[in-house]
Amino acid sequence: MTVTASSAPATAPSEPPPPRWVGAVDGVVAGLVTVGLGTLLAAVFSVIGQAGGQPAPIAAVSGAFIDRTPPWLKDFAVGAFGTNDKRALLVGTVIALTVICAVIGLVVRRRMPLGLVLFSLVGVVGMAAVLSRPGAAVTDVVPTLLGTIAGLWFLRRGVGMDALRRSGDAASLHAESPTRRWVLGGGLGIVAAWFGNFLTGDSAAATASRDAAIDTAPPPSNVVTVPAGADLKIPGVAPFIVPNADFYRIDTAIVVPRVDATTWTLKVTGMVEKEIEIDWATLQSKPMQEAMITLMCVSNEVGGDLTGNAIWTGWPVRELLKLAGPKPGADMVLSQSVDGFTAGTPIEALTDDRNSLIAIRMNGQPLPFEHGFPARIVVPGLYGYVSATKWVSELTVTTFADAQGYWTPRGWSPMGPVKTESRIDVPSSGATVKAGKVAVAGVAWAQHRGISKVEVQVDTGPWEPARLAVDATIDAWRQWVYEWNATSGSHDIRVRAYDSTGQVQSPLEAPPAPDGATGIHTVTVRVN
Ligand SMILES: Nc1nc2c(c(=O)[nH]1)N[C@H]1C(S)=C(S)[C@@H](COP(=O)(O)O)O[C@H]1N2
Ligand SMILES: [Mo]
């Protein structure tokens, strides 16, 4: 709409009030502004790893809706839309929101305060939906909150501009036309939403597929429980089972891949009798095993915390390989991720009787996106860089002579068995403690061999045995505690562990590269 400024008199005759539908369009565009900004900010939050990494408002509302859908409605939706039921739900949410926003826009024209309150209420519903998602943090509402504020501002401004245009004041000549604000507001909203989705990939579909997996898993064929006494529950010592939210994360992904499980597949290729490809539904229908396995990063320094123990649920890799039939001569399986990362694992470790898993759950939950949803490999006894491929998409049966994992040409050993090590968690180095009884405690690990003994040395004293927590499995770490009679002064405390073969950990100081750090963890404490 062009304003013919040159011919307009100084006091223009007031324009007629804009037609009603202008308010409805304003409402819809305000909704676009809110959703666009909310989507973009949620994407930025999730990319920079802030807050709980919750989905943008629309996906959150759809997800919250799924969780609260009665079974009959779920069945109806799956019957009517098949595997497109999630997409149908997203489309339905958008349509419903459009209608609601149009109505609110009409109300704003008649009774502005009421309209703005209604619009805020829609924002509150969005924020509640975000908060109700598994693992949500309070700060996850910020994108939707800011988006709602921007939408409210847009609505008010539209009414103000139209009033100004009608006023006949000199300033009315510069008042923005409805078309202009719709193009600007709507355009920016769409671009923001598009860019947000681009940042996180097809995040909404991925989130919906992960949400759908929360309570659809069949029970595993074996259930692993933490034996009483495996966790000494000493304050400051890493918990025996590390909660998913606290689990260390290592990968080469700048943006965490958000894979839509419904379109994901896992292929077996290379030196096999028959190439195989399984999809999500097939994988989920397999008999699942549970296993307690401590994952460990080769980059961990002596005393470092790039390690964690979890209960993993998955289908044994050996069962999948059996279906493909590896050819004689193959000695490595190169597992590949959707983001191109690869790990070279000795085929032996994937086919022997240890529970090497295509894991789909971590501590009873679908894998968090950061830890490889929908599926990852977990191998007891090997460092992560040669085994634990997240977002796994292909297993190529090959040989160490023909293929290399991601880290091997970058200076790391092709083979990565975990070394026996131990760590003091309390007291921490530099701490000041009171003289008398002090619990010196921590963890020790020798995955797939097991820990048989841990000893502690104070200053130049003898190595004294620590008390070991109950052994859960040779594949998991083991807590230990040593009751120290602390005397005043400064003291060095050291720890060393033995694996089940009786071999003590290496006391030689070695850096992480090329195949794992060794040395004795030592803390220095002051006693008053
Ligand atoms: N796709 C992918 N998977 C990966 C990696 C990676 O960079 N990309 N890093 C590996 C390494 S080095 C480790 S130690 C483990 C860490 O797993 P976590 O982040 O779940 O603790 O993942 C392994 N799997
Ligand atoms: Mo690692």
Side-chain angles (χ1 to χ4, degrees), residues 315-318 349-352 354-358 377-380:
W315 191 39
V317 187
R318 63 172 177 271
L350 299 175
T351 48
D352 65 15
R354 85 184 80 183
N355 259 342
S356 293
L357 298 177
I358 305 163
I377 308 296
V378 182
V379 178

Side-chain angles (χ1 to χ4, degrees), residues 424 426-429 433 438-441 455-460 463 480 482 484 486 490-496 520-527:
I424 301 169
V426 288
S428 54
S429 206
V433 298
V438 171
V440 177
E455 294 173 333
V456 171
Q457 181 190 45
V458 179
D459 300 322
T460 54
W463 285 96
W480 56 268
Y482 172 74
W484 177 38
S490 175
H491 298 283
D492 289 339
I493 310 173
R494 295 179 196 81
V495 65
R496 70 182 182 195
I520 300 291
H521 189 213
T522 307
V523 300
T524 304
V525 297
R526 280 211 64 79
V527 181

Side-chain angles (χ1 to χ4, degrees), residues 419-439:
K419 295 179 177 175
T420 305
E421 282 188 89
S422 50
R423 183 180 84 194
I424 301 169
D425 285 352
V426 288
S428 54
S429 206
T432 303
V433 298
K434 274 220 192 78
K437 294 242 177 291
V438 171

Side-chain angles (χ1 to χ4, degrees), residues 304-317:
D305 57 4
L306 299 180
T307 176
N309 185 42
I311 295 177
W312 307 91
T313 313
W315 191 39
V317 187

Side-chain angles (χ1 to χ4, degrees), residues 285-305:
S285 72
K286 298 297 182 187
M288 292 287 156
Q289 291 277 313
E290 259 186 20
M292 216 179 300
I293 299 169
T294 298
L295 206 62
M296 178 84 218
C297 185
V298 68
S299 301
N300 198 44
E301 305 272 354
V302 171
D305 57 4

